[in-house]
Amino acid sequence: MTFEWIQIPYSLMTLLIVIIYAFFMTALIAKIGARAGRRYGIRIHQNFLDLFKNYSLRSSITHGYMFYLAPVFRLTGGIGLLLFVPTIYGSQMFSNLSFAGDLILALYFIFFGTLGMALGAAESGHPYAAIGISRGLSQVTMAELPFALSVFAIAVQYQTLSVTDIVAAQQGGFMNWTVFTNPLAVTAAMMSFLGTMMRSPFDLHLAPQEIPIGPPTEYHSSYLALMQTNRNLFPVAKVVIYMNLFFGGATNWPVFFLKVFLIYLFSAFVGVVFPRFRVEQSIRWFMVWAVPVGIAAILLV
Amino acid sequence: MRELYEKLKTRFPLGEFTDQRDNLGFITVDKDQLRPVLYHLRDHEGFSHLVLLTAVDWIEEDRFQLTYLLSNRTRSVDVGLRVMLDRGEPVMETIHDIWPTAATYQCELREMFGIDFPDSPGVMDDFILEGWDDLPPYRRDFDTKKYSDETYAHREGRVTHDPAEYMKKQLYPDEV
Amino acid sequence: MKEELQKRTVKGPDGFEFEVDPLNDYYCSEAPKAHPPAYAKIVESFFNWARSESIWILGFGTGCGAIEMRPLMTPRFDAYRFGVQWRPTPRQANLFIISGYLSVKTLKRAIRSYEQMQNPKYVLGLGSCTINGGMYWDSYNTIKKLDDYMPVDLFVAGCMPRPEALLASFEELKKVIKAGKAEGANAYAENFDWYKANQKKVIKDWDMPDYNW
């Protein structure tokens, strides 16, 4: 696919739609979680209010350059992830900046934000931030392994590294989706998905009752607002990857909204049911359950 | 309770005995007899738990009373040991080597009553009253209202009612 | 002053010796600045609306009233539906609830937490103890007038006020914020010397910088 200038405003439009959708959907998921606890839950537009509130704070302090950069890195991870994969398959407007090798780039962007956060959290100097980020990094590294294995299995299966081509191969009925043609790889990837969604039982880097609230302890005002944006955007961007790789992609916006919501809901349901792991339990869980499935997926392709 | 007292009495010189309930009694012990009695109660009578260590200021008799309350968990029996100290020179031997929790109580007693426990760990640390520079506040010659009025600003307009009178006026206004 | 706060020479793991003065090195002693409303009126009103509908409370219970805050998170009261939530760190919190009596030792921590919060910030005095001392009016160890030590936006009377009273107070606080009258942080910065003098009068062992943000 050749690059055209018109793609830039189109991509920005995608970004805007996805961010607005992400804010409402995250609130809806929070509401569903609250209903599971028999609460009414937050208002559906609460995430926007929190965002505006944080932007409107008048004072802010800094702990150094990396403290500034970390939220930017983090948001770059989310936006980059979204922009380099096709959001709506077959649409010239919303295919974004996808290109032949974008699968590898996406893998990289998933990790990018966490690394940026590690630098910023270390600079903030708060002990909880350091504990949180060391837990978070070890878990994300571990959760990334089954996902990488499963992505390789799929790359071998479809003989391509382009997300667009993988989506194209899945068109024509849901029996063509990877989830049915290669269930092992999808199982491994969904296990890894749980680990990177920052929800219990894998929210051990935030651990609200233990090291409140982990890496972003020192972040406030606009820094926090940036990170909040990413907190809503990044999971959706990640779900977009999953949707494209495993669930047949989306050919129009309503299908996109529905599929993203359902995939996201999967992690929310798991989170409502299970309590938090400790870091060694979580890593052992990935080692014992997710990684062998991923290896099997590669072997059986 | 009385048989425990009689049993102890054959071994140690004991003071007065108060039989509070079936499962609670108080025994007055000499200052230098406290440690052997504690050891005996812990090792031979099953009083394995130090419930609390507190003090009473008997200002009229010019002495402090320390109360060591021990509990026998299996028999649900409590016994309190009273030790009388001279108010002019309130120093007591530490028992943190028998029950480590005692160190916290002793730290608090040092701060609130000014009773010293030499060699107790952290006994001179600030516990609740950081930077306190007056008489220890739990001593009865310390006037807490006077101190409060002098130290903390108060808001005008505070009224105090006698609860009984006030309710009478509220409920039966005709009879007042 | 505590030992760990004193100026001293430290030998690092590489054998390099350097001098540490914790009060100057670890804290910034700069006084707070007032941040008056900077934007056009319509923008400020919009921001005030956002601030009032998204109140983040510092998770710091100072007295017995802290027990009244917990039920607000439960299904029965569920304060989240009013845009209220709790943050574990003062950096992200906007509202500091002084929940009940404030002993001198806690006052010191409360001041530190308050100063670390970002402007605009609000203080809510919960219970009679924060108003005139309540039942601790003759205590040797609790302050009797909270607004001498930090600017208070709203008092809730009672001993203790029920969680419903807290919910009602959030609604009242929203009105105050929307009207643009919740400028406590600026009042604190403008009358900084007066507040500091009051604080130092009761906190005898002042072993922290004058302003810690």
Side-chain angles (χ1 to χ4, degrees):
Chain A
M1 197 182 281
T2 50
F3 177 76
E4 288 167 43
W5 285 105
I6 191 68
Q7 281 176 332
I8 291 181
Y10 280 162
S11 312
L12 290 180
M13 198 159 95
T14 316
L15 190 64
L16 191 68
I17 295 176
V18 171
I19 285 184
I20 292 175
Y21 170 68
F23 272 74
F24 280 123
M25 194 204 60
T26 317
L28 185 62
I29 296 276
K31 247 178 137 55
I32 292 173
R35 290 293 166 92
R38 299 213 168 175
R39 284 192 296 111
Y40 181 78
I42 60 175
R43 291 169 294 191
I44 199 81
H45 58 288
Q46 186 65 49
N47 283 337
F48 287 101
L49 292 172
D50 291 347
L51 187 76
F52 294 143
K53 196 275 305 286
N54 274 329
Y55 275 123
S56 74
L57 287 187
R58 296 193 192 122
S59 63
S60 63
I61 58 154
T62 178
H63 292 282
Y65 297 117
M66 279 322 293
F67 192 77
Y68 276 115
L69 281 178
V72 179
F73 274 17
R74 198 123 174 81
L75 194 57
T76 313
I79 294 179
L81 189 59
L82 184 72
L83 286 190
F84 284 103
V85 294
T87 313
I88 303 290
Y89 168 73
S91 154
Q92 169 68 22
M93 272 178 89
F94 302 114
S95 279
N96 301 338
L97 309 169
S98 59
F99 60 97
D102 49 5
L103 192 49
I104 301 297
L105 193 68
L107 274 184
Y108 170 69
F109 267 127
I110 287 182
F111 214 90
F112 188 72
T114 318
L115 286 177
M117 198 59 227
L119 297 169
E123 182 106 353
S124 80
H126 200 282
Y128 287 160
I131 297 173
I133 204 66
S134 66
R135 290 176 175 197
L137 273 181
S138 43
Q139 178 178 278
V140 167
T141 312
M142 202 56 232
E144 199 80 333
L145 194 55
F147 181 58
L149 287 171
S150 125
V151 163
F152 291 146
I154 286 175
V156 173
Q157 183 190 350
Y158 294 112
Q159 295 293 322
T160 178
L161 281 174
S162 157
V163 178
T164 314
D165 291 348
I166 293 179
V167 180
Q170 297 180 58
Q171 297 305 311
F174 64 86
M175 283 313 286
N176 290 348
W177 295 358
T178 319
V179 68
F180 295 112
T181 56
N182 193 350
L184 275 181
V186 177
T187 313
M190 286 318 276
M191 285 175 172
S192 143
F193 176 69
L194 292 178
T196 50
M197 285 301 276
M198 297 194 275
R199 285 185 174 276
S200 92
F202 300 103
D203 59 344
L204 45 88
H205 53 303
L206 296 176
Q209 293 84 13
E210 192 185 335
I211 47 164
I213 49 182
T217 305
E218 280 288 307
Y219 280 94
H220 54 273
S221 314
S222 327
Y223 310 116
L224 189 66
L226 273 186
M227 288 168 60
Q228 265 183 308
T229 315
N230 184 63
R231 179 73 193 264
N232 291 302
L233 172 66
F234 186 68
V236 172
K238 206 155 41 187
V239 171
V240 171
I241 298 247
Y242 277 75
M243 181 187 73
N244 280 332
L245 291 183
F246 308 127
F247 299 97
T251 47
N252 53 38
W253 282 110
V255 174
F256 171 87
F257 292 152
L258 186 70
K259 280 189 180 174
V260 168
F261 176 71
L262 288 178
I263 300 173
Y264 199 116
L265 198 60
F266 166 64
S267 80
F269 273 162
V270 173
V272 165
V273 176
F274 292 101
R276 186 172 60 241
F277 274 147
R278 288 205 303 271
V279 65
E280 71 270 21
Q281 287 169 326
S282 144
I283 286 180
R284 195 170 296 140
W285 190 85
F286 284 116
M287 285 296 267
V288 171
W289 297 105
V291 172
V293 180
I295 293 173
I298 286 208
L299 291 180
L300 294 181
V301 163
Chain B
M1 282 320 298
R2 185 156 294 274
E3 61 263 39
L4 176 73
Y5 177 69
E6 299 298 340
K7 215 156 91 184
L8 281 177
K9 191 138 200 207
T10 57
R11 292 168 174 270
F12 307 101
L14 294 180
E16 190 190 337
F17 174 69
T18 316
D19 199 358
Q20 199 83 24
R21 290 198 303 261
D22 281 351
N23 58 357
L24 177 65
F26 290 91
I27 304 169
T28 308
V29 185
D30 267 356
K31 196 174 163 182
D32 47 351
Q33 284 296 320
L34 176 77
R35 181 170 280 269
V37 174
L38 282 179
Y39 270 125
H40 180 80
L41 285 173
R42 187 188 72 171
D43 296 339
H44 300 290
E45 300 292 341
F47 288 89
S48 55
H49 177 210
L50 176 71
V51 182
L52 57 84
L53 162 56
T54 186
V56 183
D57 185 1
W58 297 110
I59 193 167
E60 295 83 358
E61 297 158 29
D62 202 28
R63 51 187 189 168
F64 285 122
Q65 171 194 327
L66 286 178
T67 307
Y68 297 77
L69 193 63
L70 308 182
S71 171
N72 183 334
R73 290 266 179 90
T74 46
R75 286 172 46 216
S76 300
V77 172
D78 291 357
V79 63
L81 299 180
R82 291 181 291 224
V83 177
M84 294 300 181
L85 299 180
D86 183 13
R87 208 165 175 282
E89 197 204 342
V91 183
M92 182 64 200
E93 188 187 2
T94 170
I95 59 155
H96 73 271
D97 51 331
I98 312 179
W99 282 285
T101 42
T104 311
Y105 289 116
Q106 290 167 358
C107 184
E108 189 181 12
L109 288 176
R110 201 273 308 154
E111 190 165 86
M112 290 303 189
F113 284 94
I115 302 172
D116 197 12
F117 295 86
D119 300 332
S120 177
V123 75
M124 292 313 284
D125 290 356
D126 282 337
F127 191 59
I128 291 167
L129 312 169
E130 289 179 340
W132 187 259
D133 53 4
D134 210 298
L135 213 59
Y138 276 12
R139 290 199 180 190
R140 280 172 61 204
D141 46 356
F142 172 79
D143 188 346
T144 165
K145 182 166 184 315
K146 182 162 156 282
Y147 181 86
S148 174
D149 286 343
E150 283 167 1
T151 315
Y152 307 112
H154 66 103
R155 198 184 301 273
E156 295 300 323
R158 189 194 157 86
V159 188
T160 308
H161 297 286
D162 175 41
E165 289 295 318
Y166 183 76
M167 287 315 291
K168 215 193 242 170
K169 215 178 282 176
Q170 290 284 314
L171 296 174
Y172 316 106
D174 303 338
E175 293 174 25
V176 180
Chain C
M1 191 179 285
K2 292 196 194 81
E3 203 179 321
E4 68 259 26
L5 291 174
Q6 271 157 7
K7 202 170 170 177
R8 59 188 186 271
T9 313
V10 179
K11 196 171 179 185
D14 51 355
F16 182 72
E17 283 197 8
F18 56 97
E19 207 164 71
V20 176
D21 184 7
L23 282 189
N24 283 328
D25 295 355
Y26 300 162
Y27 303 96
C28 180
S29 52
E30 201 180 323
K33 279 198 285 282
H35 298 266
Y39 301 105
K41 191 159 185 297
I42 184 163
V43 182
E44 245 349 284
S45 324
F46 170 71
F47 278 164
N48 278 336
W49 172 72
R51 284 167 193 150
S52 70
E53 295 297 330
S54 158
I55 296 176
W56 290 5
I57 304 174
L58 178 61
F60 180 12
T62 57
C64 43
I67 208 98
E68 303 290 332
M69 286 207 275
R70 304 296 170 259
L72 292 178
M73 307 177 194
T74 61
R76 179 159 177 197
F77 299 104
D78 189 23
Y80 294 98
R81 66 203 151 115
F82 300 114
V84 174
Q85 58 168 297
W86 282 260
R87 303 305 287 188
T89 149
R91 294 278 187 231
Q92 299 173 2
N94 311 111
L95 174 62
F96 193 175
I97 297 185
I98 302 292
S99 47
Y101 64 83
L102 197 54
S103 72
V104 173
K105 182 173 177 174
T106 320
L107 175 67
K108 199 164 152 185
R109 277 76 182 168
I111 290 167
R112 282 198 67 167
S113 306
Y114 177 72
E115 289 177 349
Q116 287 181 31
M117 286 158 65
Q118 298 302 315
N119 187 347
K121 46 191 169 186
Y122 322 111
V123 178
L124 195 152
L126 180 68
S128 301
C129 306
T130 55
I131 300 172
N132 59 9
M135 64 181 285
Y136 297 99
W137 63 285
D138 59 350
S139 165
Y140 55 88
N141 203 22
T142 58
I143 59 154
K144 292 191 278 188
K145 205 175 156 195
L146 178 61
D147 44 353
D148 272 2
Y149 308 100
M150 48 180 73
V152 183
D153 293 284
L154 203 65
F155 282 114
V156 183
C159 181
M160 285 303 302
R162 298 226 351 120
E164 290 95 330
L166 257 176
L167 285 181
S169 77
F170 292 146
E171 295 302 315
E172 283 300 314
L173 184 67
K174 282 179 185 178
K175 283 181 205 156
V176 176
I177 299 173
K178 275 177 190 151
K181 286 179 193 152
E183 295 291 344
N186 288 344
Y188 190 71
E190 279 153 15
N191 305 314
F192 187 64
D193 295 334
W194 184 74
Y195 281 114
K196 255 325 122 171
N198 283 341
Q199 292 164 2
K200 285 190 177 171
K201 205 177 134 202
V202 294
I203 301 177
K204 303 276 172 54
D205 64 332
W206 186 274
D207 56 358
M208 52 187 189
D210 271 0
Y211 187 64
N212 17 184
W213 44 271

